[in-house]
Amino acid sequence: MPARVSLTRTVHAFPTVAPSALLLACPSLTVRVRRRQSLGLKVAAHCRGSLDVKLAVRHGVDVVYHCDFSDEDAIALLTEAKDRIVVNPAVALLVVG
């Protein structure tokens, strides 16, 4: 089972999505991801919105869950990183892809 890291706190309200609030400063996030990976763990992140996905890709997370409110830029980043990141999408992402 991968180690999990919380990137942002996203509040979703349908039909609109509220913006995410950053939980960790970027240097702290990088340290946490690298530390877990140095212990031989895969790092997973639950990423609902675009900011979550972008942070996960930029900071080396190994597994990304959901991505259901990702914009085109976030999906492009995931596509570029497809050789190093496993994506377990929500149904909404399947429509985009």
Side-chain angles (χ1 to χ4, degrees):
M1 169 166 288
R4 292 184 297 164
V5 63
S6 295
L7 304 174
T8 61
R9 177 167 292 140
T10 305
V11 178
H12 297 288
F14 294 97
T16 60
V17 180
S20 298
L22 189 60
L23 288 178
L24 295 172
C26 290
S28 175
L29 178 57
T30 300
V31 168
R32 287 177 183 226
V33 170
R34 297 291 180 253
R35 175 69 181 136
R36 285 163 176 79
Q37 290 171 333
S38 73
L39 296 172
L41 297 171
K42 297 290 184 184
V43 179
H46 286 261
C47 299
R48 301 299 305 260
S50 296
L51 176 60
D52 307 359
V53 171
K54 292 172 185 177
L55 287 170
V57 172
R58 291 182 183 139
H59 295 285
V61 168
D62 302 297
V63 182
V64 174
Y65 292 108
H66 305 305
C67 314
D68 42 358
F69 297 104
S70 298
D71 62 17
E72 291 180 15
D73 293 335
I75 293 172
L77 283 174
L78 285 172
T79 302
E80 291 172 14
K82 66 183 179 184
D83 293 334
R84 68 174 180 86
I85 296 179
V86 175
V87 178
N88 186 4
V91 175
L93 185 60
L94 298 176
V95 174
V96 176

